[in-house]
Amino acid sequence: TMEGVTFQAMRLVHTLSDPSAPLAAMMASNPDKSNFGWYSHTFECGYDTVWQAVEKTFAIQKEEIAAQDQQAGTIMTNLTQHGLLALTGSPTHDQYYIYLKPIDAAHTRLELSLFSYGPNNKGNLVPIINQGQVKNRIEKFLDQLDATLGGK
């Protein structure tokens, strides 16, 4: 946990509008971008605190960071294999796109899109189109981020 941090999570918001320019720019190179939405979450923590917590959460989840720019607030991970899908018993592969934006000294907005894949019947990776499953994975990421921030 991070000492001295006041944390209060706000509701995870799924947004149908276009993502902010920095998040859209990261997602643009992925041909599957139309299959995945984006979400936002506001933290009652300063920008640097949330940035460090995201890095720690990725380390805990064993995510490999492909690109990051703290000044711009952007982090993208490599496609990483994770646990098994409950329905099929097949491994999932996830790639995170994150944009952090300071709202003020004590609040930070996190925008993220999680591209999640599973194997089809031929073993090829295809997008998981069940957005409920993807949202559950995002909720687990946010739970771990909350714990890193000391909120749980």
Side-chain angles (χ1 to χ4, degrees), residues 47-93:
Y47 176 84
D48 289 334
T49 300
V50 177
W51 179 273
Q52 291 167 6
V54 168
E55 288 183 319
K56 286 181 181 181
T57 299
F58 280 152
I60 290 166
Q61 291 188 179
K62 301 190 182 335
E63 302 290 344
E64 296 178 12
I65 294 175
Q68 66 180 14
D69 182 338
Q70 186 170 359
Q71 188 172 12
T74 57
I75 303 175
M76 179 178 69
T77 66
N78 287 320
L79 190 62
T80 306
Q81 182 175 327
H82 288 287
L84 303 178
L85 287 170
L87 296 176
T88 65
S90 301
T92 62
H93 296 73

Side-chain angles (χ1 to χ4, degrees), residues 34-49:
S34 64
N35 292 306
F36 299 102
W38 68 280
Y39 299 81
S40 66
H41 190 76
T42 301
F43 293 94
E44 289 188 4
C45 298
Y47 176 84
D48 289 334
T49 300

